[in-house]
Amino acid sequence: MKVYFYSKPEPEKESQAENHLKIFEFFRENGVDVVSNLRKRPDDDELSFEKMEGLVVEGSKSAPEAGYLIATALSQEKPVLYLLPKGSIIPDQLRLLINNKKFKKIFLLDFYGQKTLNNFLIDFIDIIETGELRRQVPTIKFTLRFTPRADRYMTWLSRKKNISKADLLRKMIDEDIKNDEEYQGHLRRPRNEE
Amino acid sequence: MLSEKDPLAVHQASDINGWLKKMPEIEIMAEIEPVFLIGEGHQTSGKEFWQKINNLIQSRYDDFMGFIVINRVSDILFNALAATFAFNHLNKPVIFTGSQLPIVDKSLIDIKRKSFGGLGIKANLINAVQIATMDFPVVGLMFGNAFLRATKAVRSAIYSLNIFTSADNKYLAKIDFGISPQTKLNRPEKNPEFVNDFEDKVLYVKYQPGLTFEDYKETAGKVKGLVIESLPVEPFNAEFKNELDRIKIPVVVYNKYYVPDLAIDNVIAVRQMTKETALVKFMWALGQTDDIKKIRVIMNQDYAGEFIKDS
């Protein structure tokens, strides 16, 4: 498996260099061949983006090249993992992609910390290999009791939308997660324990 | 630009938004203002069309970092050349691009679009948008993995990702994991001088051994200029040369490699240039003046890197 890893380096920021190193290490340990703007290898000149199976961008420092690479990857239907350090703000232009149905399955934007970085990289490999994120497949079982009134409403809406009641509820919660700014802010907040 | 099967081919201005929505990737790279020029299936060449494109760019020149013209591939080189000469000393990128697969032979296109993974327009457009935000003060063509000057472009393939190659093998940029500039260009500080006049009453003749001028005499009397693509070194026979001496209109004798100076007042020898460039440059020169001395000066002056130095 070959992936392209892009980041605009900030030489004065040691933590960024450490994270880059972790990303390279993770891929090496998992047998993924990494082509990167940060480490040029003589043979890489023979390659092109078409030969890559995915793109990882560490976006602590924004760069126009990142937008170009993301656009190129998505146009070739290749998965993209955009990593932002916790506490960062999502670049405006990427909000368009997060809300785009077409890219929902192949564009991942995650806020990482020291402990969570590897999890996101695992997810990314998962998407390249299987075409979907297995972690986001519903696996947690709930037993809920509803009032007859709520049930009547769900039956009516699920018929109208032609989806199951379970899918309807899952969709409503997903929408809430996406639109809850306070919760999104909570996710972005750096945690001291990391 | 899209296939006839695709309901989102651009026929009118209102189709553009739907067309762009098919490519949401573009929006993350730059703020784009689409402008409708002409619909699919209409004529996209000729003097009036050149002037229309150029006027549109000129009228918005100060408002944008760069300009992209999406055009049918069969006409694109001439349209780009007309923009090249109309904007002298350009200080922003003007990029012409399109789909490598024009609708001509549908069965062949169906085969090719599979191997291309599409019609090529999306990748070309993404690359063009990125180039439009970079430091390329030039009119260029963006196809496949190369960005090159219109003045150097030679059509080298019918259906391929790279349908244009550079006549001197020099490119402005190559596309690999990004846009890699290959040539350093100086950006003029002032806005370009805009001269958008062209003369389209020009006859183009390709000379072959044994050809007499007699066949062209009547037509030559009705045009404002004549281009003869000649043989190199000894361009044509003495009789043909004598005929040229008798006609009064400006004549360009062109060969890509070499043409000797013919010592005829109305004849200008043009060499080391692509034939498309020589023709459009001559049409532009004739649009400005009918004075042969001035035309000679224009044809010999380098405006946009059009002379091929290494051929």
Side-chain angles (χ1 to χ4, degrees):
Chain A
M1 183 190 293
K2 267 192 174 65
V3 299
Y4 191 76
F5 171 43
Y6 176 84
S7 184
K8 188 169 186 181
E10 289 178 279
E12 71 281 5
K13 244 185 165 179
E14 276 181 33
S15 61
Q16 192 209 32
E18 279 171 26
N19 291 329
H20 290 166
L21 197 64
K22 278 189 175 164
I23 293 168
F24 278 113
E25 274 300 298
F26 172 87
F27 282 130
R28 192 184 59 78
E29 283 167 9
N30 286 278
V32 177
D33 189 15
V34 181
V35 182
S36 176
N37 66 309
L38 301 171
R39 291 183 183 176
K40 295 239 167 155
R41 306 173 303 188
D43 292 347
D44 290 349
D45 289 344
E46 305 299 317
L47 295 167
S48 70
F49 199 82
E50 280 164 26
K51 304 265 176 11
M52 301 296 112
E53 285 168 75
L55 168 70
V56 178
V57 178
E58 195 283 313
S60 54
K61 172 93 177 163
S62 69
E65 290 87 351
Y68 168 72
L69 285 167
I70 293 167
T72 304
L74 294 177
S75 73
Q76 295 173 16
E77 295 174 358
K78 287 172 182 167
V80 175
L81 172 62
Y82 195 95
L83 291 165
L84 280 168
K86 282 205 168 183
S88 310
I89 292 168
I90 303 174
D92 277 345
Q93 64 270 39
L94 295 184
R95 286 181 196 276
L96 294 165
L97 298 178
I98 298 166
N99 297 325
N100 190 296
K101 281 182 189 169
K102 190 178 163 190
F103 301 131
K104 205 176 172 183
K105 281 191 172 174
I106 57 169
F107 182 74
L108 300 180
L109 187 146
D110 289 307
F111 296 94
Y112 72 91
Q114 298 296 318
K115 284 183 181 170
T116 52
L117 180 59
N118 280 11
N119 295 340
F120 297 131
L121 296 170
I122 290 166
D123 286 348
F124 181 64
I125 291 178
D126 214 19
I127 287 182
I128 293 176
E129 285 177 345
T130 67
E132 65 176 340
L133 185 53
R134 278 175 292 192
R135 193 166 56 85
Q136 283 183 2
V137 173
T139 52
I140 298 167
K141 199 172 175 181
F142 271 91
T143 306
L144 282 174
R145 290 182 191 279
F146 287 100
T147 61
R149 183 169 169 253
D151 183 48
R152 277 196 300 277
Y153 173 67
M154 281 193 298
T155 306
W156 174 78
L157 196 58
S158 65
R159 279 184 189 153
K160 193 179 162 196
K161 295 197 169 184
N162 200 24
I163 52 174
S164 69
K165 282 193 267 188
D167 280 343
L168 181 73
L169 283 173
R170 279 194 280 267
K171 222 173 168 184
M172 283 168 149
I173 292 166
D174 279 346
E175 280 295 306
D176 270 2
I177 293 171
K178 202 167 70 186
N179 297 325
D180 190 331
E181 285 181 15
E182 195 184 340
Y183 179 66
Q184 293 299 333
H186 165 76
L187 289 179
R188 285 200 300 270
R189 204 177 308 141
R191 290 178 192 155
N192 291 336
E193 67 267 28
E194 290 189 351
Chain B
M1 285 300 150
L2 302 181
S3 86
E4 282 171 356
K5 282 181 197 165
D6 198 313
L8 284 176
V10 175
H11 295 287
Q12 54 205 5
S14 57
D15 293 341
I16 294 182
N17 281 340
W19 190 80
L20 275 174
K21 271 187 185 160
K22 283 256 180 190
M23 296 179 269
E25 304 93 324
I26 307 286
E27 283 184 72
I28 64 168
M29 300 166 64
E31 222 172 291
I32 293 170
E33 186 185 313
V35 178
F36 179 76
L37 203 62
I38 203 159
E40 187 72 55
H42 289 81
Q43 174 96 2
T44 60
S45 60
K47 183 175 98 169
E48 280 78 23
F49 189 70
W50 297 349
Q51 290 173 326
K52 197 173 173 182
I53 296 177
N54 298 339
N55 282 329
L56 208 129
I57 294 170
Q58 171 67 7
S59 67
R60 289 154 185 261
Y61 194 83
D62 291 331
D63 303 333
F64 295 92
M65 283 176 80
F67 299 85
I68 298 167
V69 181
I70 299 174
N71 201 168
R72 191 186 300 162
V73 75
S74 52
D75 309 318
I76 204 164
L77 178 54
F78 287 97
N79 298 349
L81 285 166
T84 300
F85 292 109
F87 293 96
N88 191 16
H89 303 303
L90 195 68
N91 57 5
K92 291 178 182 182
V94 176
I95 304 137
F96 284 73
T97 191
S99 165
Q100 281 98 331
L101 296 175
I103 303 159
V104 182
D105 181 344
K106 287 188 75 177
S107 56
L108 185 59
I109 285 168
D110 286 342
I111 296 167
K112 291 287 180 184
R113 74 182 288 165
K114 274 180 198 157
S115 62
F116 284 13
L119 294 175
I121 177 71
K122 196 189 274 186
N124 289 338
L125 190 52
I126 287 170
N127 290 328
V129 170
Q130 182 68 1
I131 289 166
T133 64
M134 295 170 75
D135 199 14
F136 286 107
V138 68
V139 176
L141 296 174
M142 176 61 241
F143 280 93
N145 59 17
F147 177 52
L148 68 162
R149 278 182 188 276
T151 51
K152 296 282 176 67
V154 177
R155 181 83 187 249
S156 56
I158 302 298
Y159 294 119
S160 164
L161 283 179
N162 293 303
I163 50 175
F164 291 103
T165 49
S166 176
D168 60 1
N169 208 27
K170 287 179 183 159
Y171 292 84
L172 295 167
K174 289 279 192 180
I175 320 299
D176 40 43
F177 292 103
I179 310 290
S180 307
Q182 307 284 304
T183 311
K184 174 82 187 143
L185 299 170
N186 294 322
R187 179 191 286 267
E189 281 180 20
K190 286 181 188 169
N191 274 0
E193 189 185 335
F194 184 54
V195 182
N196 197 21
D197 297 312
F198 299 86
E199 175 55 67
D200 59 359
K201 286 183 183 158
V202 174
L203 175 65
Y204 192 102
V205 175
K206 186 168 183 178
Y207 178 82
Q208 304 289 352
L211 191 79
T212 67
F213 196 72
E214 202 60 36
D215 297 337
Y216 301 101
K217 223 173 191 175
E218 197 182 331
T219 318
K222 294 175 187 167
V223 295
K224 297 284 175 64
L226 174 63
V227 179
I228 298 166
E229 189 181 341
S230 74
L231 304 173
V233 190
E234 292 174 24
F236 22 65
N237 62 34
E239 189 194 338
F240 199 93
K241 187 182 166 189
N242 291 339
E243 288 290 344
L244 288 184
D245 207 0
R246 287 190 201 108
I247 63 169
K248 297 297 166 205
I249 57 170
V251 177
V252 160
V253 174
Y254 165 80
N255 187 276
K256 183 185 168 187
Y257 303 103
Y258 181 76
V259 180
D261 289 322
L262 295 163
I264 305 173
D265 284 347
N266 61 320
V267 172
I268 305 161
V270 174
R271 59 187 83 93
Q272 293 182 319
M273 204 183 280
T274 68
K275 63 181 171 188
E276 292 86 356
T277 303
L279 174 61
V280 176
K281 189 177 182 184
F282 185 45
M283 292 168 79
W284 179 68
L286 285 170
Q288 296 173 62
T289 180
D290 54 8
D291 182 335
I292 187 68
K293 284 181 186 161
K294 288 181 183 167
I295 294 170
R296 193 185 301 278
V297 170
I298 292 171
M299 291 307 291
N300 289 327
Q301 189 176 324
D302 189 342
Y303 285 89
E306 63 266 38
F307 289 98
I308 304 161
K309 291 179 180 129
D310 297 330
S311 67

